[in-house]
Amino acid sequence: RPKDEIVVLGLLTLGEAILAGGQRELYNPLRSELNHRIAPGESVSFELHWRWTHLEYRISMAAGNQFADALNPVAAKAQFEDALKRANSLISMAGEIADKEWLGDSISSKAEALVQLGKADEAVKVYEEALNPKMPSRWQREALNRIVALRINQNKNVESIASLGTILTKYQTAPDLDLIHLTIGEMSLGEFEARRTTESSVPPTTLTNTTLHLGKAYSSFDLLIINFTNSSRLATAYLHRGECLEIVGEDAKALGDFTEASARAGATTNRVIQARAIFKMGDSHFRLTNYMAAVTNYLRSMDDFGDLPEVKNGYGDRAIHQIATAAIRMGELKGLHLAQTALKRMRSDYPRSELYGRSALQVGQALID
């Protein structure tokens, strides 16, 4: 029975092994065998037709990636375009299959081909098809994560914020919408920082104006915190909402958010977020003139998390500089001793930092005083 489904499944499994082993040259004879057994008009199930087309799609994608790695863009493009045609066939066949898992995989395949062809906007539109409430939740989550990743990689914050906002409106029952709120908030906050030309004070009323980037950011983090009380992203949302409050001078409220972010990040062992939150707690205490508390938090951010590249290369030197500054402002011999210890640490860990010289001048002046 050469056309029995068991035989076809065996050949398809062989194709999977060839693909996994990177031996695509062995696939052409197998393709001839499959053509013989799954000819057009044959009464083979849609599922088997789909499996074969999906295998052909993946063979084309693998070839495209290989040509791309070999710096042959023309050949790579031809393979990706072939993969795109097969992905369209996958979607058509999946429409005849009751189980929507097949359609989810087909949509994802088409979007991936479009990404390889450099058509990110079109890929986003295809992924949005998987946000239909009738689709399995795992494919909705997959699509949402891919959409966010594509928008972030485009580095077009204004356009991406508008696009993600449309998703919030159109797909209100989709899972993981907290990710969209968080991303819109982070992009808006980033856009505010990029456009900020001076360190002049920003009025607190800015936070209530969602037509402004800072207000949009604050609103997005606030909505996440209020509406997604079980979200795994709450620690990050509290951290960023605190940063918004910090910008407008609401230091006491910011301290509350940073403290909450630290506690939640600690519970989920997110060390990067916890370290940042503790460092920002130090900043809040510093501005509130609670200098001993500031020193305690700066020290904790360095002593407990100094091994993290995000801390060591990101703001480790600033934490030590702030320790020295806060210690000097305590105005006691104990504070002066802390400042000298901080300077010694700066000399050891960050001898090339521009903050080293500033710290040395401060400590020297304090010793003179």
Side-chain angles (χ1 to χ4, degrees):
R1 305 198 304 268
K3 295 185 180 181
D4 192 290
E5 288 198 1
I6 295 297
V7 177
V8 176
L9 278 172
L11 291 172
L12 290 173
T13 302
L14 177 58
E16 294 285 345
I18 288 172
L19 178 62
Q23 300 171 295
R24 289 198 314 279
E25 68 278 1
L26 301 178
Y27 182 68
N28 285 333
L30 180 62
R31 178 183 283 136
S32 299
E33 290 287 328
L34 287 164
N35 270 321
H36 174 65
R37 288 169 171 78
I38 315 180
E42 294 284 351
S43 57
V44 179
S45 67
F46 279 109
E47 287 88 345
L48 276 182
H49 273 290
W50 188 96
R51 286 180 187 275
W52 185 29
T53 305
H54 193 251
L55 177 60
E56 292 277 344
Y57 158 82
R58 290 164 61 205
I59 290 288
S60 295
M61 289 290 284
N65 286 320
Q66 186 174 20
F67 282 126
D69 291 340
L71 303 179
N72 189 340
V74 175
K77 182 181 178 182
Q79 291 294 327
F80 291 138
E81 286 178 341
D82 181 72
L84 180 60
K85 292 177 183 177
R86 297 185 188 281
N88 282 321
S89 297
L90 288 173
I91 291 175
S92 178
M93 284 184 281
E96 303 294 331
I97 304 172
D99 189 347
K100 296 299 182 185
E101 286 284 339
W102 301 78
L103 180 57
D105 205 337
S106 303
I107 289 171
S108 180
S109 297
K110 180 177 180 179
E112 287 175 9
L114 286 167
V115 170
Q116 292 297 338
L117 287 167
K119 300 179 179 181
D121 289 332
E122 291 183 40
V124 167
K125 290 180 181 178
V126 172
Y127 276 128
E128 284 188 29
E129 295 176 23
L131 297 179
N132 188 308
K134 295 181 180 180
M135 293 295 293
S137 59
R138 84 177 187 93
W139 285 112
Q140 293 184 55
R141 287 191 171 90
E142 174 78 8
L144 209 61
N145 276 276
R146 295 293 181 87
I147 288 170
V148 167
L150 285 171
R151 290 307 188 197
I152 291 172
N153 289 335
Q154 283 183 302
N155 290 319
K156 298 179 180 178
N157 283 349
V158 175
E159 295 90 335
S160 295
I161 290 166
S163 173
L164 295 175
T166 301
I167 289 176
L168 285 177
T169 303
K170 289 174 63 178
Y171 305 102
Q172 298 182 16
T173 61
D176 290 352
L177 287 181
D178 55 329
L179 174 60
I180 300 294
H181 285 292
L182 181 64
T183 306
I184 290 175
E186 289 179 335
M187 286 182 172
S188 299
L189 185 56
E191 200 64 19
F192 167 79
E193 294 289 2
R195 294 166 182 261
R196 193 177 186 183
T197 56
T198 65
E199 291 296 323
S200 58
S201 61
V202 180
T205 53
T206 305
L207 298 183
T208 61
N209 188 345
T210 56
T211 63
L212 302 175
H213 290 299
L214 184 60
K216 185 72 173 178
Y218 180 82
S219 173
S220 297
F221 301 134
D222 201 45
L223 286 170
L224 193 162
I225 291 168
I226 293 171
N227 296 326
F228 299 88
T229 54
N230 294 320
S231 171
S232 61
R233 302 176 174 93
L234 279 171
T236 308
Y238 273 109
L239 172 65
H240 291 325
R241 191 176 74 172
E243 289 171 338
C244 293
L245 289 164
E246 179 183 62
I247 289 170
V248 300
E250 296 281 1
D251 294 308
K253 292 180 180 179
L255 177 59
D257 274 1
F258 294 143
T259 303
E260 186 70 22
S262 171
R264 289 181 178 274
T268 58
T269 64
N270 190 332
R271 297 184 71 226
V272 173
I273 295 298
Q274 189 180 17
R276 180 73 181 177
I278 292 170
F279 172 74
K280 299 304 291 184
M281 287 166 63
D283 280 349
S284 295
H285 279 299
F286 185 93
R287 279 188 291 273
L288 292 167
T289 69
N290 301 325
Y291 295 123
M292 191 66 241
V295 168
T296 299
N297 282 284
Y298 289 136
L299 281 173
R300 185 183 170 198
S301 71
M302 293 299 298
D303 292 342
D304 294 354
F305 306 96
D307 60 311
L308 294 174
E310 291 84 355
V311 175
K312 186 174 182 179
N313 303 323
Y315 49 88
D317 58 342
R318 183 167 179 271
I320 296 173
H321 173 72
Q322 289 293 94
I323 291 170
T325 305
I328 289 169
R329 293 191 183 185
M330 288 166 60
E332 302 173 3
L333 287 176
K334 179 182 178 182
L336 185 56
H337 175 71
L338 282 171
Q340 288 177 287
T341 302
L343 180 60
K344 186 177 180 180
R345 187 168 183 174
M346 179 75 86
R347 184 185 302 120
S348 170
D349 296 351
Y350 299 97
R352 297 179 182 274
S353 170
E354 64 177 18
L355 294 176
Y356 175 28
R358 291 169 59 184
S359 299
L361 286 171
Q362 284 191 122
V363 174
Q365 184 62 55
L367 286 167
I368 291 172
D369 292 343

